[in-house]
């Protein structure tokens, strides 16, 4: 059972454009929603995260939008740059003992210069 | 100074062999994890230890045995390696109050031939 569904699988955006990646979850007990960025040959790195008590969180060019009723959250990358080209993963967990992160399938983002 | 370090970075071995991957974190986190990333880049949790205690053990063949000598170290031993074990294995730490997100190591690419 895939608990976190991520789309699209791949995305090509022009430099300066907005990249949008969407995720949907099934388990209403999830209460922590991070996004990770992974470059080839590297481990995933935490980019930004949100708890369900807020609907939006912004850090620099990266914004998470969260819709609790729809059980959806998305990552927006403003002014996308070639250096943003990477694989992006959404994830979800239940905060507490263990805090097991369940990941989406990933989105390969390519920003064309 | 690397926060989560794994060794080796690459491991090529024959079917039937036994191998180990080592992980160390210097972040002071209580919880450590092993994740497997398959050829489609899907990340799936295998094990989690909290302060040397096994707390998450997903459906993983018992050929895989984690060991945590102290809360800063989590090793993974794999017996009787099979072709299907080929993947990238990531160690991570975190998931604690105040740091729910994980910090991942750079991964160990295991190739079974």
């Amino acid at each position: 059972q895939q608990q976190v569904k991520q789309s699209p699988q791949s995305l090509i955006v022009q430099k300066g454009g907005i990249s949008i990646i969407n995720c949907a979850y099934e388990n209403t007990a999830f209460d922590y929603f991070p996004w990770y960025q992974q470059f080839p040959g590297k481990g995933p790195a935490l980019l930004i995260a949100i708890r369900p008590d807020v609907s939006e969180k912004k850090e620099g060019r990266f914004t998470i939008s969260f819709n609790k009723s729809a059980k959806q959250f998305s990552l927006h990358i403003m002014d996308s740059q070639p250096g943003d080209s990477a694989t992006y993963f959404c994830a979800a967990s239940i905060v507490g003992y263990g805090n097991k992160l369940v990941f989406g399938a990933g989105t390969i983002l390519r920003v064309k210069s | 100074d690397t926060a989560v370090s794994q060794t080796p970075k690459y491991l090529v071995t024959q079917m039937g062999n036994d191998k180990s991957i080592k992980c160390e974190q210097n972040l002071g986190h209580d919880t450590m994890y092993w994740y497997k990333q398959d050829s489609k880049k899907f990340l799936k949790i295998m094990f989690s230890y909290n302060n040397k205690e096994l707390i998450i053990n997903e459906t993983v063949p018992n050929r895989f045995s984690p060991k945590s000598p102290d809360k800063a170290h989590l090793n993974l031993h794999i017996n009787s390696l099979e072709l299907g074990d080929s993947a990238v294995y990531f160690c991570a730490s975190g998931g604690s109050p105040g740091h729910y997100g994980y910090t991942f190591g750079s991964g160990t690419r295991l190739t079974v031939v």
Side-chain angles (χ1 to χ4, degrees), chain A residues 17-104:
Chain A
I18 302 173
S19 304
I20 302 174
I21 305 171
N22 300 299
C23 281
Y25 62 96
E26 299 167 5
N27 188 345
T28 55
F30 286 145
D31 58 359
Y32 175 71
F33 304 90
W35 285 89
Y36 282 82
Q37 179 188 57
Q38 185 179 26
F39 293 106
K42 303 291 186 184
L46 180 63
L47 197 59
I48 187 172
I50 198 168
R51 301 292 305 274
D53 51 343
V54 296
S55 60
E56 186 174 282
K57 184 174 181 180
K58 184 176 181 179
E59 290 184 2
R61 296 185 294 108
F62 301 92
T63 300
I64 299 179
S65 297
F66 182 78
N67 186 329
K68 188 174 180 178
S69 60
K71 293 187 287 185
Q72 295 175 344
F73 59 110
S74 60
L75 176 70
H76 291 63
I77 306 174
M78 312 300 287
D79 187 26
S80 299
Q81 299 296 312
D84 296 331
S85 298
T87 301
Y88 292 81
F89 294 94
C90 63
S93 73
I94 303 169
V95 167
Y97 195 65
N99 193 38
K100 180 177 78 172
L101 274 177
V102 178
F103 283 86

Side-chain angles (χ1 to χ4, degrees), chain B residues 1-2 5 10 31 35-36 38 43 47 56-57 64 70 79 84 110:
Chain B
D1 202 19
T2 306
S5 58
Y10 300 98
T31 311
Y35 272 76
K36 179 180 180 180
D38 62 22
L43 281 157
F47 301 104
I56 296 174
N57 185 349
F64 291 79
D70 55 60
N79 290 325
L110 171 66

Side-chain angles (χ1 to χ4, degrees), chain B residues 22-77:
Chain B
K22 295 187 176 182
C23 180
E24 176 181 4
Q25 56 101 357
N26 62 7
L27 298 168
H29 295 153
D30 288 334
T31 311
M32 296 183 72
Y33 307 81
W34 279 111
Y35 272 76
K36 179 180 180 180
Q37 186 170 47
D38 62 22
S39 59
K40 295 184 179 178
K41 290 188 173 283
F42 189 70
L43 281 157
K44 185 166 169 45
I45 192 168
M46 300 173 68
F47 301 104
S48 173
Y49 270 75
N50 181 274
N51 205 6
K52 302 193 296 178
E53 178 189 355
L54 179 67
I55 55 171
I56 296 174
N57 185 349
E58 293 291 293
T59 308
V60 176
N62 58 16
R63 298 181 295 102
F64 291 79
S65 53
K67 277 195 172 59
S68 180
D70 55 60
K71 77 171 195 177
H73 295 83
L74 180 61
N75 304 321
L76 183 65
H77 187 76

